[in-house]
Amino acid sequence: MDEIQTLKFFWLKYEISAIRNMINNSPGIDSFVFSYFFASTTDDSKPLQLIAYGHMSPANQYSSYYDTLEDYNNNALELSGPLIMSNNVISLADMLLLIDTPDPDGDKPDYLVFIPDVNDTRHVYYDVDRYKRAGSGDVVLPGNPLTDPINTNPSPPATIN
């Protein structure tokens, strides 16, 4: 019997300072667009990553400035098909909620972690958790009705179920 082919998708880290730089370097930004990135590597198990661009309106163009999200603790989700991998999107408004909304203790995140998942229509999307650096180790900030859940939206035409 043939073994089913799989792909690995990293958990990915996006520093708040890089997000702010993206906003500052993308005049008229209205959303963050995340495209898949496969690094040049000799490692045949190297998972897929994301590149973040700013979509700017009303010019309807993408920023030439971009970020490559780094892997987070070498965590990966291995998936087999069928899968639909399209650009993922987070609106600027949702991104600002993620980075600027304090938790009940008044803390804001230092970085976001994108955790891959698959919806009912087999589109790959990412759950987004907010992390704070702490002396005892990094911690996930507690859920907040304004920011939980905010997921990437694989688009077009998928929507999160």
Side-chain angles (χ1 to χ4, degrees):
M1 180 173 193
D2 292 332
E3 189 174 321
I4 295 177
Q5 191 175 24
T6 61
L7 290 173
K8 287 184 180 179
F9 297 82
F10 265 138
W11 289 30
L12 300 165
K13 180 179 180 178
Y14 199 6
E15 293 283 347
I16 301 304
S17 58
I19 293 169
R20 293 204 189 284
N21 284 338
M22 175 70 72
I23 293 168
N24 293 336
N25 286 288
S26 305
I29 187 173
D30 63 3
S31 58
F32 285 73
V33 178
F34 300 92
S35 297
Y36 286 96
F37 176 72
F38 185 67
S40 175
T41 181
T42 57
D43 181 356
D44 61 2
S45 68
K46 182 75 173 173
L48 293 168
Q49 294 172 261
L50 294 175
I51 290 180
Y53 294 91
H55 178 266
M56 301 174 294
S57 62
N60 195 26
Q61 67 185 33
Y62 296 96
S63 61
S64 57
Y65 182 87
Y66 65 91
D67 295 312
T68 304
L69 279 63
E70 60 186 272
D71 72 270
Y72 179 71
N73 290 343
N74 212 28
N75 292 332
L77 175 65
E78 190 166 350
L79 297 170
S80 60
L83 296 173
I84 301 169
M85 299 183 313
S86 52
N87 287 342
N88 277 260
V89 178
I90 296 180
S91 70
L92 176 62
D94 281 348
M95 186 63 81
L96 290 174
L97 283 175
L98 284 167
I99 68 174
D100 289 337
T101 303
D103 74 357
D105 294 329
D107 291 326
K108 292 183 182 178
D110 293 313
Y111 60 91
L112 304 178
V113 173
F114 288 62
I115 304 166
D117 205 347
V118 178
N119 69 12
D120 294 340
T121 59
R122 303 300 295 171
H123 283 86
V124 179
Y125 71 97
Y126 292 80
D127 294 313
V128 183
D129 283 344
R130 299 162 4 114
Y131 278 74
K132 179 81 178 154
R133 289 184 178 88
S136 57
D138 296 359
V139 294
V140 178
L141 293 181
N144 182 306
L146 295 175
T147 62
D148 196 16
I150 290 178
N151 305 310
T152 63
N153 182 11
S155 181
T159 56
I160 300 299
N161 293 338

